[in-house]
Amino acid sequence: MVEQVLDTQVVGARVDNVDARDKVTGGRGFPMNITMPGMLHGKLLRSPYAHAKIKSIDTNAAAALPGVKCILTPEDVPTRVYSPVYFVPTLAVGSVQDTLLLDTTIRSVGQVVASVCATSLEIAEKALDLIEVEYEELTAVFTFDDAMADSAIQLHENKLGNIAKNVIHATGDIDAGFEDADHIFEKTYTTQRVHTCYMEGRVCVVSADTNGDFTVHASMQHLFGLREKLAYILDVAESKIRVVKPPYIGGGFGGKLEVTAMEPLAAIMSQRTGRPVRIAHTRREDFITTCRAPFRMHMKTGIKKDGTITARSLKSFLDCGGNATHGAKVIEVHGLFGFMFTYNCPNRHWEGTTVYTNNMVSGGYRGYGAPQAAFAVEQQMDEMAEALGIDPVELRLRNLHQEGEQHPFFPSKFTTYRVDECLKRGAKAISWKDRKPAGSQIGGKSSKVRGLGLATTTTWTSCCAGQPDLYEHSGAIVKMNPDGSADIGSAAIDIGCGQNTTFCQIVAEELGLPLEKVRMTYADTSTVPFDAPMHASRGTYAAGGAIKLAATSARQVLFRYAAAMLEADVDDLDIRDGNVFVRNSKDRLVSVQEITALADSPIVKMTDKGPVPDGPQFRGTIIGTSSLAPDFSPIVGGAMYAEVEVDTDTGHVAVEKIVYAHDIGKVINPMGAEGQVEGGVQQGIGYALTENLLFDPENGACLTTDFLDYKMLTAVEMPKIIESIFVESIEESGPFGAKSLSECAVIAPAAAIANAVYNATGARITSLPITPEKVLEALGKL
Amino acid sequence: MKRIARLNVNGEIHEVAVNLQETLLNTLRDQLDLKGAKRGCDSGGCGCCTVMVDGRARYSCMTYALSVEGKEIKTVEGLNEGGTTLSRLQEAFVKKGAVQCGYCTCGIIMAAQNLLETNPNPTDEEIRKGISGNLCRCTGYTKIVEAIQDVATGVT
Amino acid sequence: MSFADLSDFQQPRDLQDALLILDKYGDDTLIVAGGTFVHGLNARGFLDEVEVVLDISELPLKNISHSKGNLSIGSTATYNDLLNSRPVQSMAAFGALKDALGYPPPQIVNVATIGGCLAASCPLFDLPTAISALGGTLTSESSARKKTYSLDKFFTGLFESSLGTGELITAIEIPGNDKSTSGFSKLETNANDLAIINAAVSLTFKSGLLNRKRKCITARVFLGGGVGDTVMRSPSVEAILSDGEPITDDKIENAVAAAKIDVTAQGDHRASAKYRQKMIEVYLKKAIARAMARLET
């Protein structure tokens, strides 16, 4: 459902994904497919212990194996301490630098101990078995309470109490707010570890040449972040490293937002051997490399009888595992956006603590701390609505921020903000008015009961404007070819959200070209301007904004040339359907192709004195460039409604229908936007019900390292109906009015489903995932 | 230890030296340079490696290359005639927006091919069951199911 | 020696050749048909000693036939072959097979074999439960002799069976005529899952299925999936169901409640013992309901 609010041709049209034909016939562009002549195969040796000191490593037997070309142990690699997170400069104060490429202290099962490369994968695997490591096992801590206990063993020097980071943000007077309240609600909510489950595993191929330059291919979400991390870890100039942009990658979802051990180790092994080195994770390795961090959240809300919230407070703990990495940033996004943003209230207090444990290291995952917060915030909203006798939709409407308002503590206005409209339109689409009282079907004839639930989400597009220590600039090159087509050079990677298509649409619209005349082209860190990662729902808004600006600048050159050809004023020109024309005199036109042909291939006529110009001459490729940091991050949100059926005999929850209404700004790529919602729902339901990385409580080893044990939804368990409603408006700062979408679709589902389960059963489940066991237990049947 | 395997892939006979324990997936990708079958989990859990052997879909990561000598192996590269024409399923996946990151796509198309060859008029449930051996993390399967429906009902 | 170093790969087309290969290599041999559990075995470290793969998928052991109240299945018949066979499609007696074979995704159903599934003796699989309930037997051959095992005594532990070195399962025999019906049910998290628990029941009626009184004289009830290291039988449930009287809703309630007398479920990371124990009743009831529903058509 899209309201047309701009007169556009390509933007907003249901167009084919520009990479789809390639992807349905084999998908040649994935980094997983890259091989190089003479390439060696690397493998990583991983620790079986959760907490240990490496006493010694004997590589003699492995090195003697024919075909083994290089082995790296901690003493063979640089020892600079870093934060691996791509969107934070390595030495930024806001991040925690606690990672070593190969550390002699082991802090989680699976931490990389050594690496090998050989002429075949089989030989490399065999060599791993021959490396003898002597460990001194240390006491491991796996829970918040054990890690923060006074007597707990300390995992990092200088990190007392195993606190990696502690942050407090507050506005107003929280105590006065609670005193003002008629009712106070408080509860503890917990969430589990889940994996991003990108389908293409992490892989890299690194080739070092004799000049000391590195060429890097990898499945990742940030070219320049990988360049900066590699340069720092290897202690070389950034320009010595050329990271090549893959045409697309097989999914990221935040799971490829940091440098892992594989890229630097492959680089060093390539340098030592003079041959390209490829390292690819097994799925088992992928499962223990990144996850959405588990949280424990204690939330307290003060509210008046009329539903006005007077005080909101949250104390959150994040288990970051053995190293802080993303945990130091997820905690902030969780608090500032996930918790603080959504509902207006003068008195807010949040404290977030990132805790070291010997569990697997947590990473980035779509939503970045916000799904966890929504699980707490949106359930407490429902609990309050029920206690006060106010409809849950109405309670939210009463407490939302309003469009046009200045955000109380961010340098942002709610320029376009339509979550109120999203709430209303979603309620209508799911028939909210037919919702039955909570638990009213229990004890009835059928063991199956139905329920409706909702959750809203509000976050920031891009999330980095005004944050001094985060990367947030984008740039692009738009170059026109003699045939009238345009090529885009951009470091923004299509990670599966259809960015290549969206970007081509933006440029096509700006240059008045049909979509097929615009292409994404080759790019690497040496040829295109910097771009921040493909993360934080920033692709369309931030990278797309820069790409549009580059197209605008190319258009200005086009107009300058056209003005000369048409003998018209530049200011009177417009562009559409492949032609530049004089406004109000549409028969005065020249095709884009005529202009670009002149620019790149001068037209001459032969005379007896040789070639002379024929008509105006414009020597020079038409090219537009941009590089800028957006000075604004528009606020975006939506409302998700879920209908569930709960089997009260088994506790099984089936999601029957999802309606998601989203405050998107302008829809540029409608099929892509729907896909974002539909895919977000798949991930969100998995988070709510089935997905859970589980660990052996004795030794910390992951028990769910394949898809038989880690339960993602298949097509069979998905709701048959997922309805996307896009509430459009024109965000002036965005390309063609666009804001963003991706993360919102994954923030709300778990909370909406938890509320729907409550509505169906009268049982409130405050820990994720909502397993059949928990439901039966809550129903008193277990 | 290696042995020469004689494999019929997409109608072409290939003689390749394979490790005795080599999976068909490895042979296709690393020796025959057919990258349509993807390595997703290497344990029969994701379906990215799905190919057809004698007209039936199977996981190529669970198939020994030596076990399918003499059989007709079809990969996604064998579905479309020539470089630019698409099969009806491939076309429907493009038109319906069923392709996002695309890593699962070729495997799902092969599973869908298996489904439609054995059941040309599947219900929604049968389509979902038919691709239940394949995982997708981007699309929620919505547009994938619609694309297969379109082919079954002759819309595409 | 790791599995990466096979010294031979054989795909015989003749049973005697296969048995000779088994004789020659003995326990160093991995017998593979559909190959769908090789990764599972490898992940559990069972393949570290394997030197030879014996691929039996081309042996002429795929026949499925039904005569004289006996369903005979070649061991390398695939799930699909059996699922699409006439007896399984048309006879209530084999309903549990139809139910069980309908669960896995196509890529498994197309290649996984009946013999392979039983040989693995994996408690999480579905067919051991279903075929046990149906009172199946299996035949193995070695170069020395032919043997028959009742499935009731075949599974001896987690991934352990009575099958000896050099033996190859060649056929599975399952009794079934127009006097019985059966059903199977499985608890799974998604459509591509191993059972959290499964249940199968086979009921035989004194005067056949067409007689409206349907007095149940024999019941076989088995539970599997994650309940224990092998499939488990529940004589208490069987006794209540097969008291020679028609099966009523009340009797079903009493029967499934009696399962706990015989079966104590295990817990693991996929489900707690408490939850599995509770689900035994629910899924037994579903299996019985499926068996009984077959009488209506």
Side-chain angles (χ1 to χ4, degrees), chain B residues 1 3 20-21 42-45 47 50 56-59 61-62 64 66-69 71 111 114 129-130 132-134, chain C residues 3-4 6-9 11 30 32 34-36 38-39 53 55 58 80 102-108 110-111 191-192:
Chain B
M1 192 182 282
R3 190 180 294 169
L20 297 184
Q21 69 281 352
D42 242 341
S43 56
T50 302
R56 290 299 178 97
R58 61 156 83 185
Y59 297 131
C61 79
M62 277 187 168
Y64 291 106
L66 285 173
S67 72
V68 289
E69 283 188 285
K71 296 183 186 297
N114 177 78
K129 180 81 191 165
S132 65
N134 297 72
Chain C
F3 186 52
L6 288 184
S7 62
D8 202 356
F9 184 104
Q11 193 188 45
L30 174 70
V32 172
T36 54
V38 173
H39 288 296
V53 165
D55 176 352
E58 294 297 310
N80 233 338
Y103 280 97
Q107 291 95 330
I108 300 296
N110 285 343
V111 294
N192 191 358

Side-chain angles (χ1 to χ4, degrees), chain A residues 222-224 227 473-478 489-492 523-532 546 550 624-628:
Chain A
H222 194 204
L223 294 191
F224 284 93
R227 181 176 83 163
H473 60 291
S474 284
I477 300 167
V478 171
S490 156
D524 65 27
T525 49
S526 303
T527 58
V528 293
F530 182 93
D531 206 322
T625 62
S626 68
S627 182
L628 78 164

Side-chain angles (χ1 to χ4, degrees), chain B residues 87-138:
Chain B
S87 76
R88 289 171 67 214
L89 264 171
Q90 289 169 321
E91 184 74 23
F93 270 60
V94 174
K95 290 294 167 201
K96 273 286 165 185
V99 181
Q100 287 193 32
C101 92
Y103 202 77
C104 72
T105 302
C106 296
I108 296 192
I109 286 176
M110 296 312 284
Q113 183 81 19
N114 177 78
L115 172 73
L116 295 178
E117 283 181 16
T118 48
N119 177 5
N121 296 301
T123 62
D124 180 83
E125 276 81 11
E126 286 166 341
I127 292 174
R128 288 172 184 275
K129 180 81 191 165
I131 59 168
S132 65
N134 297 72
L135 297 175
C136 170
R137 197 54 153 174
C138 296

Side-chain angles (χ1 to χ4, degrees), chain A residues 155 202 268 281 339 359 434 545 652:
Chain A
L155 302 194
R202 292 190 76 140
I268 298 167
H281 274 171
F339 168 66
N359 293 313
D434 299 335
H652 178 258

Side-chain angles (χ1 to χ4, degrees), chain A residues 357-645:
Chain A
T357 66
N358 292 113
N359 293 313
M360 73 172 277
V361 168
S362 67
Y365 185 178
R366 196 173 175 185
Y368 216 71
Q372 296 95 321
F375 183 67
V377 172
E378 294 295 319
Q379 286 212 75
Q380 197 149 83
M381 285 301 279
D382 257 35
E383 292 171 61
M384 296 191 297
E386 183 172 50
L388 297 175
I390 301 173
D391 185 276
V393 177
E394 178 57 31
L395 182 66
R396 286 169 171 87
L397 286 170
R398 281 183 205 175
N399 287 285
L400 283 178
H401 284 286
Q402 299 301 312
E403 190 167 65
E405 219 175 274
Q406 172 65 43
H407 197 279
F409 53 90
F410 277 97
S412 273
K413 263 191 165 176
F414 288 81
T415 46
T416 49
Y417 187 65
R418 310 283 303 279
V419 174
D420 53 348
E421 183 66 15
C422 294
L423 270 167
K424 291 173 194 165
R425 301 246 311 251
K428 198 168 169 213
I430 199 106
S431 303
W432 183 256
K433 61 178 181 357
D434 299 335
R435 179 172 169 266
K436 299 186 175 76
S440 60
Q441 304 153 68
I442 296 285
K445 255 189 284 172
S446 172
S447 62
K448 297 198 170 163
V449 292
R450 290 222 168 197
L452 293 181
L454 89 102
T456 71
T457 157
T458 299
T459 187
W460 236 9
T461 303
S462 186
C463 87
C464 298
Q467 304 284 305
D469 64 346
L470 305 183
Y471 288 132
E472 182 56 358
H473 60 291
S474 284
I477 300 167
V478 171
K479 182 180 81 71
M480 305 217 58
N481 301 307
D483 60 4
S485 66
D487 288 335
I488 307 170
S490 156
I493 304 167
D494 192 322
I495 64 172
C497 318
Q499 290 92 347
N500 286 348
T501 307
T502 303
F503 297 154
C504 288
Q505 285 178 283
I506 287 171
V507 171
E509 190 67 46
E510 189 66 3
L511 296 177
L513 296 174
L515 183 63
E516 56 274 15
K517 287 273 194 183
V518 184
R519 277 188 318 196
M520 289 298 287
T521 59
Y522 177 90
D524 65 27
T525 49
S526 303
T527 58
V528 293
F530 182 93
D531 206 322
M534 187 55 72
H535 77 143
S537 307
R538 68 180 290 284
T540 302
Y541 178 79
I547 285 167
K548 178 167 186 264
L549 200 63
T552 308
S553 112
R555 192 171 83 161
Q556 283 163 359
V557 183
L558 265 179
F559 279 14
R560 216 167 61 232
Y561 290 7
M565 293 168 81
L566 295 169
E567 296 174 348
D569 194 300
V570 166
D571 294 337
D572 293 335
L573 297 181
D574 208 341
I575 194 165
R576 192 160 199 156
D577 300 331
N579 295 313
V580 178
F581 60 93
V582 182
R583 240 182 264 114
N584 305 323
S585 175
K586 288 194 178 165
D587 49 342
R588 287 172 67 196
L589 56 83
V590 57
S591 76
V592 170
Q593 195 258 322
E594 286 173 80
I595 305 169
T596 55
L598 272 182
D600 269 342
S601 326
I603 306 295
V604 294
K605 62 182 172 194
M606 292 306 292
T607 67
D608 46 8
K609 293 184 181 115
V612 299
D614 181 21
Q617 290 286 292
F618 314 110
R619 297 290 180 104
T621 299
I622 295 174
I623 191 164
T625 62
S626 68
S627 182
L628 78 164
D631 51 10
F632 187 67
S633 288
I635 295 164
V636 62
M640 184 167 287
Y641 290 83
E643 180 175 2
V644 302
E645 183 176 271

Side-chain angles (χ1 to χ4, degrees), chain A residues 40-41 62-70 116-121 123-124 127 273 275:
Chain A
L40 299 171
H41 298 268
L65 194 67
V68 171
K69 296 295 176 187
C70 180
V116 170
C117 70
T119 49
S120 79
L121 199 55
I123 295 172
T273 58
R275 292 167 68 170

Side-chain angles (χ1 to χ4, degrees), chain A residues 9-29:
Chain A
Q9 307 272 301
V10 188
V11 159
R14 295 184 81 83
V15 299
D16 295 349
N17 181 302
V18 297
D19 300 321
R21 293 178 73 85
D22 174 44
K23 287 175 176 175
V24 298
T25 52
R28 296 156 187 84

